[in-house]
Amino acid sequence: MKKAATITYTPLSKSFYEVSPVRLARKLIGTVIVRIIDNNILAARIVEAEAYGGSDDPASHAYRGKTDRNKMMFNSGGYSYVYFTYGMHYCFNVVAGTGRTAGAVLIRAAEPLEGINIMKKNRNRDTLRDLLSGPAKLCQAFAIERSLNGIPLDRPPLFISKSPNTSPPKIKTTPRIGIKEGIDKKWRFVDAGSEFLSVI
DNA sequence: CTCTGGATTAGCT
DNA sequence: GCTAATCCAGAGC
């Protein structure tokens, strides 16, 4: 029998997410993403996130309006937006705002806390630092794919919990990664000095 | 309908 | 540093 989790995770309520994507991205650094799968718990502390807006943000999927793929970005906050890219990868976003404008936060990297052996198996990798250090890696480790698009994030099988840490993370902002437009905006938020970032 | 390229990663050079 | 892997949304015709 596997040892029980030593920490109890409580999902953040919807109101936590009803702020702008930029504000939400900052708030999410240090919180814990929790995945329940096959009676097992996976948990990781978010150390890197990027904000994406709506018609004001050319780097956003929602820039050109609502489509079948990006419609979750126009929802009110607290839901997942999972999309497929590069023919082989999924990325996980947290929808932000009240629903009046589009917006979401891409979760780019996290620090493994619990269920590390399952993450290693899902990733087919043994190195701790290589488990969650990128948006597609994180999805693979957490078994996040298309069927989890649009689900609420305040209950299993996937939710986000307040940081277990007492000391708040030291947050640094940088331009977003892997985009061509909107590089002037410093909408990437990282836990400065974390060993588990996608890009240092 | 067809075509292009992407909020990426891994593996090789 | 370079690029294959591999699907589908979005744009153009």
Side-chain angles (χ1 to χ4, degrees):
Chain A
M1 188 64 182
K2 215 175 168 314
K3 86 175 157 90
T6 50
I7 303 167
T8 304
Y9 297 108
T10 308
L12 293 161
S13 62
K14 290 273 170 58
S15 61
F16 179 87
Y17 303 94
E18 291 176 348
V19 297
S20 73
V22 172
R23 282 227 287 149
L24 180 60
R26 182 182 288 272
K27 285 171 73 176
L28 282 171
I29 303 299
T31 61
V32 177
I33 177 172
V34 181
R35 172 90 160 106
I36 308 296
I37 183 166
D38 299 332
N39 256 357
N40 292 301
I41 182 169
L42 305 180
R45 183 175 168 279
I46 296 172
V47 297
E48 176 175 346
E50 287 178 358
Y52 286 88
S55 55
D56 58 327
D57 180 9
S60 171
H61 286 174
Y63 182 55
R64 290 180 177 78
K66 194 170 179 174
T67 67
D68 217 37
R69 179 207 212 190
N70 69 19
K71 61 187 175 191
M72 278 314 296
M73 290 189 74
F74 292 76
N75 207 78
S76 60
Y79 289 81
S80 74
Y81 167 42
V82 179
Y83 67 86
F84 187 76
T85 192
Y86 289 103
M88 45 199 340
H89 299 302
Y90 291 99
C91 292
F92 169 65
N93 296 247
V94 178
V95 179
T98 58
R100 285 195 68 250
T101 58
V105 176
L106 172 68
I107 307 302
R108 287 190 53 90
E111 171 183 350
L113 298 177
E114 293 191 60
I116 290 169
N117 285 337
I118 296 168
M119 296 181 202
K120 287 181 176 175
K121 182 160 160 268
N122 289 344
R123 288 272 303 126
N124 196 27
R125 290 288 185 287
D126 250 349
T127 312
L128 201 58
R129 254 186 45 222
D130 199 29
L131 293 180
L132 305 173
S133 54
K137 295 178 183 178
L138 187 143
C139 282
Q140 191 182 19
F142 270 61
I144 294 173
E145 32 66 46
R146 191 181 268 292
S147 68
L148 296 187
N149 184 38
I151 64 166
L153 296 175
D154 59 357
R155 71 198 75 157
L158 184 62
F159 63 88
I160 296 176
S161 168
K162 192 172 74 123
S163 171
N165 281 16
T166 47
S167 58
K170 187 186 172 199
I171 294 174
K172 201 171 107 181
T173 64
T174 81
R176 292 169 290 181
I177 306 294
I179 57 169
K180 293 203 175 78
E181 298 188 88
I183 51 177
D184 53 311
K185 298 178 170 71
K186 289 194 171 183
W187 283 4
R188 173 174 176 256
F189 297 81
V190 304
D191 178 1
S194 169
E195 296 295 306
F196 299 94
L197 303 177
S198 66
V199 182
I200 307 300

